[in-house]
Amino acid sequence: MRINGTVAARLNDLGAELRPGVSLAEHTSLGIGGATDEIVLRRYDTIPQIMRLLADENIPHRFLGGGTNVLIADGELPWVVLHLPSVRPGMRIEGNAAVVEASADLGGMVTFCAKHDLGGMEGLIGVPGSVGGALRMNAGAYGTQIGSYVREVELYRAASGEIETLRGNDIRFDYRHTSFAPEDMMLRVKLELPSKPYKEILAGIRVCNEKRRASQPLNQKSAGCIFKNPPGGSVGRMIDELGLKGQRVGDAMVSERHANFFVNAGSASCADMRGLMDRVREQVHAAYGIELEHEVIVWQN
Ligand SMILES: Cc1cc2nc3c(=O)[nH]c(=O)nc-3n(C[C@H](O)[C@H](O)[C@H](O)COP(=O)(O)OP(=O)(O)OC[C@H]3O[C@@H](n4cnc5c(N)ncnc54)[C@H](O)[C@@H]3O)c2cc1C
């Protein structure tokens, strides 16, 4: 979708940067996605006005973080993408709390906190993407989930059209699901973390890194796990038992290393990936009677 000159001028006045015709394949870990205009929200205070402008002009939009958990449609996309500018380091320590910008790198946050003897999040070390994306998804691994440590979230709330601060206790964090509304935009988070000596945290980080390296196709393009695990079950094990590792639709392939990781083994399209997901879902349903739910967020046009 292309933004016209009048709206572009308004966006500029509101301190946002318009990047026309961005290929989202270059902004996603799957390397899949069509083209659209991108709006970089360089100021938080004008976000409510920008959202009102987009609503008034009937401009559909989606929010893109690090692009590590999205499968985006091919071709010219019928919505624009909103994005926060990257910040370095984008975090500071206040006693036992870390105050972190949503666009900060999640892994960078874990190590930054570690250096200040604040631990608990070692399991999140290899989860790529932004802190905002991790909050929205309630990212987790190896028994840790980010939601457990959230004390406050500053966000643009679609319901009020304003920037608000929510207390952690007022937000529900479930398995890869949160109570945020679809159009809420995470801006900043305050995490309360347990004190732990740096060396101990580092040892935990090393263990998690090794587990990840041993089990995941880290040198291939993926979005992590494609499907959510059903209660008490492992989708990866089911897909593996069905002998589906290496299955392909075009260049979309079930990883040989981890059956719940689907990789772009060349120049896969979104249609290829959807085709593979549908095929695997049908076979799992036929064999186990389980309806798999996507963990990856699919943006269809
Ligand atoms: C190799 C690999 C391993 C992975 N391992 C794990 C794992 O162990 N555990 C796990 O939980 N995930 C894992 N993932 C998935 C992914 O890294 C996480 O879900 C991550 O938290 C997504 O963050 P992101 O910034 O990339 O979000 P994106 O992919 O950009 O977006 C994901 C969703 O969050 C929304 N979003 C992003 N930022 C914001 C924001 N600031 N405000 C509002 N909404 C926002 C988007 O609109 C979208 O709906 C893995 C991915 C890869 C590629």
Side-chain angles (χ1 to χ4, degrees):
M1 178 170 203
R2 300 305 148 116
I3 283 181
N4 68 40
T6 318
V7 176
R10 280 289 293 134
L11 287 169
N12 187 51
D13 291 346
L14 292 167
E17 182 196 341
L18 179 63
R19 293 180 180 161
V22 171
S23 163
L24 297 188
E26 287 161 29
H27 294 269
T28 60
S29 56
L30 269 171
I32 294 175
T36 190
D37 285 359
E38 181 181 72
I39 300 169
V40 183
L41 304 167
R42 296 209 169 272
R43 283 171 55 182
Y44 288 177
D45 62 325
T46 58
I47 288 175
Q49 284 159 275
I50 290 171
M51 299 309 278
R52 275 196 290 279
L53 174 66
L54 297 180
D56 292 345
E57 297 289 333
N58 293 315
I59 299 173
H61 45 84
R62 306 271 165 104
F63 191 92
L64 187 68
T68 66
N69 203 43
V70 282
L71 170 59
I72 301 180
D74 308 309
E76 184 67 28
L77 302 167
W79 20 262
V80 298
V81 154
L82 308 177
H83 191 61
L84 293 171
S86 39
V87 281
R88 264 163 220 267
M91 49 196 95
R92 63 173 197 276
I93 301 295
E94 285 179 5
N96 261 48
V99 180
V100 190
E101 301 299 315
S103 63
D105 175 68
L106 182 68
M109 178 189 81
V110 176
T111 47
F112 181 84
C113 293
K115 283 177 190 156
H116 291 83
D117 297 316
L118 293 175
M121 296 188 296
E122 294 84 324
L124 293 175
I125 189 65
V127 180
S130 68
V131 169
L135 277 175
R136 148 72 66 194
M137 299 300 306
N138 189 20
Y142 307 119
T144 305
Q145 55 172 23
I146 191 166
S148 312
Y149 300 102
V150 172
R151 192 200 286 173
E152 269 175 21
V153 177
E154 190 179 336
L155 75 170
Y156 164 79
R157 263 191 119 185
S160 63
E162 299 297 339
I163 292 174
E164 294 182 23
T165 301
L166 284 182
R167 287 182 314 153
N169 289 344
D170 296 328
I171 306 163
R172 271 195 59 194
F173 290 99
D174 300 318
Y175 170 52
R176 303 298 174 271
H177 185 264
T178 54
S179 57
F180 297 113
E183 290 207 350
D184 287 351
M185 198 190 301
M186 316 295 126
L187 300 176
R188 197 175 279 131
V189 63
K190 188 180 237 186
L191 300 154
E192 192 166 312
L193 299 163
S195 297
K196 230 183 194 184
Y198 179 54
K199 275 190 176 165
E200 222 176 279
I201 303 172
L202 214 53
I205 284 176
R206 285 210 184 98
V207 170
C208 294
N209 273 336
E210 272 159 31
K211 282 188 194 165
R212 225 170 247 283
R213 271 197 294 269
S215 64
Q216 298 180 1
L218 299 182
N219 57 353
Q220 286 181 292
K221 293 178 184 171
S222 83
C225 288
I226 281 281
F227 296 111
K228 290 184 184 181
N229 285 319
S234 158
V235 178
R237 194 168 313 126
M238 289 177 205
I239 300 174
D240 194 5
E241 279 170 10
L242 291 171
L244 296 177
K245 277 185 170 172
Q247 275 274 317
R248 292 177 84 118
V249 171
D251 274 341
M253 187 178 93
V254 178
S255 161
E256 299 275 7
R257 205 170 170 82
H258 189 312
N260 198 16
F261 276 54
F262 291 11
V263 299
N264 175 357
S267 47
S269 64
C270 180
D272 291 338
M273 198 52 83
R274 291 298 305 264
L276 185 64
M277 289 161 72
D278 288 347
R279 187 188 290 177
V280 169
R281 202 179 31 223
E282 280 160 23
Q283 297 199 33
V284 167
H285 187 253
Y288 297 95
I290 290 171
E291 199 64 64
L292 293 181
E293 205 186 317
H294 298 163
E295 176 163 334
V296 68
I297 307 286
V298 181
W299 289 355
Q300 275 300 107
N301 52 18

